[in-house]
Amino acid sequence: MLDDEAVVQAVEESKMEKPTAEQLAELKRLSAIARVPDESEIVTSKEEAEIRIRDLKDKARME
């Protein structure tokens, strides 16, 4: 996971237009959210992990 400054630097170095202050704020907000684990997503057993993987593969195949 990139820290906020690395995300900003990557965006600035890309060939896109320079992001606005609002876009940078949104990137920082999303970056912070991505670092916070959602405890409901924590897998507690091998069986649960296998079910989750199977469900994600099924979902990806349907999309």
Side-chain angles (χ1 to χ4, degrees):
M1 181 68 57
L2 297 173
D3 63 10
D4 294 340
E5 291 177 24
V7 170
V8 171
Q9 183 178 1
V11 169
E12 289 176 350
E13 289 176 355
S14 72
K15 295 183 190 258
M16 299 182 340
E17 293 179 10
K18 192 165 189 158
T20 64
E22 185 177 285
Q23 289 171 323
L24 288 175
E26 181 68 2
L27 281 171
K28 288 181 181 183
R29 185 185 74 78
L30 293 172
S31 181
I33 290 170
R35 280 192 220 103
V36 178
D38 180 356
E39 291 189 18
S40 68
E41 295 295 318
I42 295 174
V43 176
T44 57
S45 70
K46 181 178 180 182
E47 292 80 17
E48 186 179 351
E50 290 170 348
I51 291 169
R52 180 92 43 95
I53 290 168
R54 186 192 68 226
D55 290 348
L56 289 171
K57 285 181 180 178
D58 289 346
K59 182 179 177 184
R61 190 174 37 239
M62 287 183 203
E63 293 175 353

